Amino acid sequence: MTSSARGLAGRIFRVDEFGVVAALVALVLVIGAFHPAFLDVDQLVDVVAQAAFVGILACGMTYLLAMRELDLSVGSTYALSIVGAATLVQHGLDPWLGAAAGVVLGAFLGAVNGFIGEAVRIPSIITTLGTLSLYRGLALAVSDGRNVADLPRTHAFFTIVGGDLFGVPVPVWVLLVVALVLTVVLRGTRFGATVRAIGSNPDAARFSGISLPRTRVQVLTLSGALAGLSGMLTLAFFASGDPTIGNGYELQAIAAAIIGGTPLRGGSGTVWGSVLGAVILGTVASGLVYFGVPINWNLFATGVVILLAVAMDSLLRRRRAAASFL
């Protein structure tokens, strides 16, 4: 392998991410040992496909956590984008254009989060705590609290985007492309370096001439656009717009990023780790079904996984600190 190829590989994958891969493989094997049907290729692909929607949200959350920020409104942005696009399509707009409008709407809602926060000088976690309810309320109001149905299911948008490519659901391919692009941006571009610099030391970043407000708005806009993109994949899959969909997705996206190895202290992030974290959450949820555990225990299981991931990250950091001291 040439030095340039190794450099590119280093920008895409990190050693830390292999630990998350090992945890995922171990989890799958444990479930498969008790329920061999879980190891069926179609079942595993289905787990990844179901995790793709949260995985795309987690990619955006990685950037925010790397800046010591959070977006609690991504689940509501996701739902409002779906409802908005579905309503446009229901009224005769071409589904491809409706989907593009849904992504733009998501980006706009993310930008609104950023501009509100900068206007009133409050952290994004407070701003998005408010817009979480605001955007969800708009989704319910626009749809009158009902599912937006009667969409042209036979249109190419629904059959292509909601179908498979080479035997793999299209959302999985989109997730892989998003993760690859955002990984290269985060680790190999000036914008990515800016995001990490702000998370490492906001004051030093400000003194070096970095515009914290502009970068914060840009990252929140990115998060909103990814929520819109994930929403359009969901719209294509279900061919309807449910205003209640995505409840709790913001917490799952945060959990996926943390499980994947993105620290809450900021300064670094792993997009691939966040994708793997989303797949781990999906694997846990599917495993509970195989073991006959009621779906109401999903949140409990998610909380346990988050605590274990945070505890493991803390332990590894202490060991590294002790090793460097010695």
Side-chain angles (χ1 to χ4, degrees):
M1 183 181 290
T2 64
S3 59
S4 59
R6 286 194 297 269
L8 178 60
R11 291 181 181 180
I12 297 175
F13 302 106
R14 293 195 319 187
V15 174
D16 293 347
E17 291 161 1
F18 291 103
V20 185
V21 172
L24 175 59
V25 171
L27 180 61
V28 170
L29 292 178
V30 168
I31 298 173
F34 291 94
H35 300 279
F38 185 78
L39 298 178
D40 184 79
V41 174
D42 290 338
Q43 170 60 38
L44 295 177
V45 170
D46 183 64
V47 170
V48 178
Q50 294 300 318
F53 306 115
V54 171
I56 292 174
L57 301 181
C59 290
M61 198 66 71
T62 303
Y63 275 65
L64 287 162
L65 286 172
M67 285 183 60
R68 304 186 190 180
E69 302 283 349
L70 281 176
D71 183 355
L72 298 179
S73 71
V74 289
S76 299
T77 300
Y78 167 85
L80 183 53
S81 297
I82 293 173
V83 169
T87 302
L88 291 174
V89 173
Q90 189 184 56
H91 284 79
L93 185 66
D94 181 84
W96 292 109
L97 295 177
V103 176
V104 171
L105 174 60
F108 173 76
L109 296 175
V112 168
N113 287 335
F115 287 125
I116 290 176
E118 293 306 321
V120 296
R121 303 293 182 183
I122 56 176
S124 61
I125 188 173
I126 303 300
T127 305
T128 57
L129 180 62
T131 54
L132 180 154
S133 297
L134 192 154
Y135 295 163
R136 180 69 64 177
L138 279 175
L140 291 167
V142 169
S143 63
D144 199 23
R146 294 177 291 189
N147 209 22
V148 182
D150 300 323
L151 304 183
R153 294 173 177 266
T154 58
H155 189 278
F157 170 74
F158 297 100
T159 58
I160 295 175
V161 181
D164 295 349
L165 179 63
F166 303 119
V168 177
V170 169
V172 175
W173 291 112
V174 175
L175 173 63
L176 294 175
V177 171
V178 167
L180 178 61
V181 171
L182 291 184
T183 295
V184 172
V185 171
L186 184 62
R187 298 181 186 170
T189 69
R190 182 176 180 180
F191 177 71
T194 298
V195 168
R196 289 183 281 111
I198 292 174
S200 296
N201 192 323
D203 292 332
R206 185 181 295 108
F207 287 136
S208 66
I210 294 174
S211 173
L212 272 66
R214 181 177 62 193
T215 306
R216 187 177 293 114
V217 170
Q218 289 172 339
V219 174
L220 284 167
T221 301
L222 172 64
S223 176
L226 291 173
L229 175 62
S230 181
M232 296 311 97
L233 295 172
T234 305
L235 176 63
F237 183 79
F238 290 107
S240 64
D242 182 359
T244 65
I245 197 170
N247 269 319
Y249 273 21
E250 57 281 339
L251 297 181
Q252 290 190 42
I254 295 170
I258 294 173
I259 292 169
T262 296
L264 290 171
R265 66 183 182 278
S268 65
T270 162
V271 177
W272 284 114
S274 297
V275 170
L276 293 169
V279 176
I280 287 175
L281 291 177
T283 302
V284 170
S286 296
L288 292 178
V289 174
Y290 271 85
F291 284 104
V293 179
I295 194 172
N296 294 333
W297 285 88
N298 273 357
L299 283 177
F300 174 83
T302 300
V304 171
V305 173
I306 294 171
L307 289 176
L308 289 175
V310 172
M312 185 62 68
D313 178 66
S314 177
L315 177 62
L316 290 174
R317 281 192 287 109
R318 287 201 300 269
R319 286 186 175 181
R320 288 171 183 167
S324 63
F325 179 78
L326 294 175

